[in-house]
Amino acid sequence: MSVSAGDKNLQLAGLFPATDRDQWKALVAQALGDRDFEKTLVTQTYEGLDLQPIYSQDDGRDAGAATRNAAAFERTANGWEIRQTVDHPEPAVANRNIMQELHRGATAVSIAMNTAAGTPEKSMPGVWIPDATALGVVLDGLYLDAVRIGFRPGADFAGSAAVILAHLRAQGVADATAQIHFGADPLRALAASGNLPHSLPAARAAMAELAGHSAAHMPQSRAVAVDSSVYHGAGADEVLDLALSIATGVDYLRVMTAAGLTVDQALQEIEFTMAAGVDLFLTVAKLRAVRRLWARIAEASGSVDQQAAKAQLHVTTAERVLAAREPWVNMLRATIGGFAAGIAGADSVSVAAFDLARGVPSDFGRRIARNTQVILQEESGLAEVIDPAGGSWYIDNLTDRMAQAAWSKFQQIEAAGGIAAQLLDGSLQAELAGVWANRERDLAKRRTQLIGVNVFANLQTDTVTTATVDLGVESSAWQHRRVAGELPQDTGLDDRIAAVASGVAIADLTAALPGPGAQIKAVDEQRLGAAFEALRDAGDRFTEAHGRPATIFVAAIGSPADHGPRLDFTRNYLAAGGIAVDLSLGDAASVAIAFQAFRAATGGNLAIICSSDKLYADVAAEVMAALKAAGAEWLAVAGRPDSALVTAGADGFIYAGDDCLASLCAMHEKLGV
């Protein structure tokens, strides 16, 4: 059959016979044989969603304008906002870093603040800004009406906002032209630290007061942040993350409208911040779904301004997936997150430095993070199409199901009294801990794999170094200029701004809010794979103390075809715990002699046998007897548990799907690590 090149109604599908899902499933059943379709080809997620192996037009959903971010035409011309995080503790260095970011590709910056009145820990990222003087150093040379600055002030947002507003006035920057995101997010601050220096109602009132000022005088600024990354860092799945974001937004919307803002004014003050993980499709679906959900909230709340009802979405690459070991792989993880944010229509994106998990990021780490976004935007052109993921039956279907599931979870949160009530009674922390436990279980069994951590670990020491920090000069200067004294409680925003001129610390400005302080069990942010990295750290200490790594003797029996696959598996398995391999090839007699030499050199008495199942049946008993006669006190077999091998002398087994973490911990104990 030929088709004319000029045929405007070319239908390639017409060249093939029609098929349907039932025919496809029948062919799949033949290929699977006795294996179950659901268990073999359908993936179950932490969210309780089933991911099918194939999707068709029947599975597609109409995304809708809100889901697609269809109003963001300017994004196709200008790209998303490249808003990189600056977190070096020294104010002067932070200022230099801001200038570097803006001169070399970033279009905005986010400043992670540490407002502690005392000198902070050097290893803790966060720019030390205890007062207006330090803020002036950080912002020196910046045109605050030309570049957007986002602040992450934590619990001290009230004091920070007063200092920022005072700085704007001192620099002659009009409120109407300033581009400031103040980052007032009291529930996140409470969840992350476990306490507020004032009551939660007082924090909400201060947030609403700041939002009222911003709505009245600062049209290019936003007062309120809804940052769910703290819950994501504690293990929240994507549906729970969505639900908590919407629940927090609704909480703040109620507070602001009760304080006198209109619905549209309150909506205009909110910016969502969500974390992008390494599951590309789930992340894209989540980021598309949050806009759909928030549009529904805005509609139900009586919004009449389409622009105000649009969710302003800032995306950060997830920190829970960053590894301290083999941090180079973090570049790939961050790229996936940045890519997902780009095609999901994020308004602004922050890509984490690959060395963040090691401490304060280096200049090189910040450069790679920034350039990742530049390449995604300028070379890959991800921003040039509105909703490039739209039209994918799989992604549209996943977005719809995720939105439905998140809405149901949101309703449950509301029925329980809202997100604040769940934080205060500890039920949310317990739920997050349960999800995290499931993630840890899958990591321990290596169902979830982190390259360089629980699989393909490299025992060689890497050369990654982070930024150095010296706060001596800043600390001394701060102690000399600090103004003692407390402001009267119930001091309003204008009074706090006026007090800035007298040198009052940010923490003291915040302390003017009425108490007593709120206290809860903090949400426990963690990094995936940290337990394996703790084993590696212990292995490093052992090496430093003994001049050699912790080592296990491995006997490879038979030809490479016999022992090769399990030998590679064993090396990989042990490396995840920082354990080296002393390898011997040969028969029972030769490996016994080699083991005696190994024991004499290292004092070690642990051994593992690697070979094929056939050779295990033929010679494993002989090999194990020879090794035990040579002094092996613990002998494992690489392979699944076998009663015959236990009878022959096997003390344990290592295999795909076992609890690798528990096995490595037991080996550490036997090795004295």
Side-chain angles (χ1 to χ4, degrees):
M1 176 180 180
S2 63
V3 180
S4 170
D7 187 351
K8 296 181 180 180
N9 297 313
L10 179 63
Q11 298 288 333
L12 291 180
L15 303 178
F16 300 92
T19 59
D20 58 30
R21 188 181 292 267
D22 290 338
Q23 290 176 302
W24 174 79
K25 291 193 75 170
L27 292 172
V28 169
Q30 293 178 19
L32 289 177
D34 295 334
R35 289 173 293 173
D36 182 74
F37 176 88
E38 294 289 331
K39 292 181 179 179
T40 306
L41 296 180
V42 177
T43 301
Q44 298 293 331
T45 72
Y46 290 105
E47 295 78 12
L49 303 174
D50 59 293
L51 305 182
Q52 297 296 322
I54 193 170
Y55 287 79
S56 69
Q57 188 172 4
D58 294 336
D59 300 306
R61 301 288 189 273
D62 180 13
T67 303
R68 296 195 304 271
N69 199 12
F73 290 110
E74 71 280 357
R75 187 177 179 273
T76 61
N78 303 322
W80 63 82
E81 186 177 84
I82 299 177
R83 190 192 301 176
Q84 284 303 102
T85 298
V86 174
D87 52 11
H88 195 289
E90 296 177 51
V93 177
N95 175 261
R96 185 201 71 189
N97 290 351
I98 290 172
M99 294 302 183
Q100 285 182 346
E101 296 289 356
L102 294 174
H103 289 159
R104 300 177 183 178
T107 55
V109 292
S110 175
I111 300 175
M113 299 176 68
N114 186 334
T115 56
T119 306
E121 293 288 335
K122 295 180 181 180
S123 61
M124 296 297 292
V127 187
W128 188 33
I129 307 178
D131 67 346
T133 300
L135 181 69
V137 173
V138 173
L139 299 182
D140 184 40
L142 282 171
Y143 294 95
L144 300 177
D145 51 1
V147 61
R148 192 180 319 282
I149 307 293
F151 290 91
R152 288 160 45 193
D156 280 333
F157 68 85
S160 300
V163 170
I164 293 165
L165 289 168
H167 180 82
L168 292 175
R169 295 174 185 180
Q171 297 299 310
V173 179
D175 281 358
T177 59
Q179 300 184 47
I180 302 295
H181 285 197
F182 290 95
D185 192 354
L187 288 177
R188 186 205 188 283
L190 178 61
S193 65
N195 63 80
L196 293 175
H198 40 260
S199 69
L200 183 56
R204 283 173 163 147
M207 177 194 72
E209 183 183 23
L210 177 61
H213 176 87
S214 177
H217 306 291
M218 307 181 74
Q220 298 191 63
S221 298
R222 290 180 186 259
V224 179
V226 174
D227 185 351
S228 67
S229 61
V230 62
Y231 310 115
H232 195 269
D237 60 56
E238 309 301 358
V239 165
L240 181 57
D241 189 25
L242 268 175
L244 294 173
S245 292
I246 298 302
T248 304
V250 168
D251 184 287
Y252 293 167
L253 191 59
R254 288 179 178 138
V255 170
M256 286 186 281
T257 53
L261 278 73
T262 68
V263 169
D264 286 319
Q265 284 177 324
L267 290 169
Q268 192 70 43
E269 291 303 313
I270 296 175
E271 178 180 65
F272 287 90
T273 295
M274 304 194 79
V278 293
D279 190 311
L280 176 66
F281 297 115
L282 282 176
T283 301
V284 170
K286 176 180 75 172
L287 299 179
R288 296 173 82 235
V290 72
R291 282 194 296 270
R292 173 179 171 182
L293 293 170
W294 193 241
R296 178 70 186 95
I297 293 293
E299 179 186 18
S301 300
S303 172
V304 295
D305 184 337
Q306 183 178 5
Q307 186 62 28
K310 170 182 168 292
Q312 184 73 16
L313 182 57
H314 176 62
V315 178
T316 62
T317 53
E319 294 186 14
R320 77 183 184 196
V321 300
L322 299 182
R325 293 283 177 166
E326 289 300 301
W328 311 107
V329 186
N330 293 335
M331 296 182 191
L332 302 179
R333 299 180 179 114
T335 299
I336 294 172
F339 181 84
I343 65 174
D347 298 293
S348 56
V349 181
S350 295
V351 170
F354 77 92
D355 50 357
L356 177 61
R358 298 282 279 265
V360 180
S362 63
D363 287 348
F364 180 64
R366 292 187 304 104
R367 172 187 159 202
I368 293 297
R370 178 178 63 249
N371 287 347
T372 297
Q373 289 210 64
V374 173
I375 291 170
L376 288 172
Q377 193 170 105
E378 300 294 337
E379 297 189 20
S380 301
L382 298 188
E384 294 179 9
V385 177
I386 291 177
D387 192 27
S392 161
W393 300 321
Y394 170 45
I395 294 178
D396 279 341
N397 180 282
L398 186 57
T399 300
D400 182 71
R401 289 195 295 153
M402 191 170 287
Q404 297 286 353
W407 186 261
S408 177
K409 182 62 181 177
F410 161 69
Q411 291 177 314
Q412 293 173 26
I413 294 171
E414 288 291 286
I419 184 171
Q422 292 210 312
L423 279 171
L424 291 170
D425 68 17
S427 57
L428 176 55
Q429 293 89 322
E431 182 174 6
L432 290 168
V435 180
W436 186 266
N438 291 336
R439 294 188 186 279
E440 288 284 88
R441 176 203 62 211
D442 289 343
L443 281 163
K445 295 187 174 184
R446 305 202 295 179
R447 294 172 185 163
T448 299
Q449 298 184 343
L450 283 178
I451 304 299
V453 180
N454 67 348
V455 293
F456 305 115
N458 183 0
L459 291 180
Q460 302 301 313
T461 302
D462 62 57
T463 58
V464 174
T465 57
T466 53
T468 57
V469 178
D470 184 359
L471 290 169
V473 174
E474 286 81 2
S475 179
S476 177
W478 162 239
Q479 296 305 325
H480 279 90
R481 72 173 184 265
R482 183 176 182 187
V483 175
E486 297 180 357
L487 296 177
Q489 287 204 341
D490 289 327
T491 300
L493 177 59
D494 290 337
D495 293 326
R496 290 194 295 273
I497 295 172
V500 172
S502 62
V504 179
I506 288 177
D508 292 334
L509 291 168
T510 302
L513 300 180
Q519 289 191 331
I520 63 168
K521 182 181 185 300
V523 168
D524 191 10
E525 291 185 84
Q526 303 178 71
R527 285 188 303 105
L528 297 170
F532 281 94
E533 291 182 341
L535 293 179
R536 296 288 302 279
D537 293 341
D540 288 347
R541 292 191 294 271
F542 182 94
T543 300
E544 185 176 352
H546 296 82
R548 58 172 179 80
T551 307
I552 289 179
F553 182 86
V554 174
I557 309 302
S559 68
D562 293 317
H563 64 241
R566 281 177 171 154
L567 176 58
D568 289 341
F569 171 83
T570 300
R571 289 184 191 273
N572 184 16
Y573 191 102
L574 297 179
I579 300 173
V581 165
D582 187 299
L583 177 63
S584 175
L585 307 173
D587 57 15
S590 60
V591 298
I593 294 172
F595 182 81
Q596 288 175 332
F598 162 76
R599 188 179 182 192
T602 67
N605 54 21
L606 279 63
I608 297 175
I609 297 175
C610 297
S611 192
S612 64
D613 290 339
K614 181 179 185 306
L615 282 184
Y616 283 159
D618 294 340
V619 301
E622 179 186 0
V623 173
M624 285 190 278
L627 287 171
K628 294 217 168 181
E633 297 182 8
W634 180 85
L635 205 160
V637 174
R640 293 195 168 275
D642 185 312
S643 58
L645 293 175
V646 173
T647 302
D651 299 304
F653 298 86
I654 61 171
Y655 55 94
D658 72 353
D659 192 330
C660 178
L661 181 63
S663 294
L664 291 172
C665 287
M667 293 178 198
H668 268 226
E669 184 176 355
K670 291 179 174 66
L671 289 165
V673 176

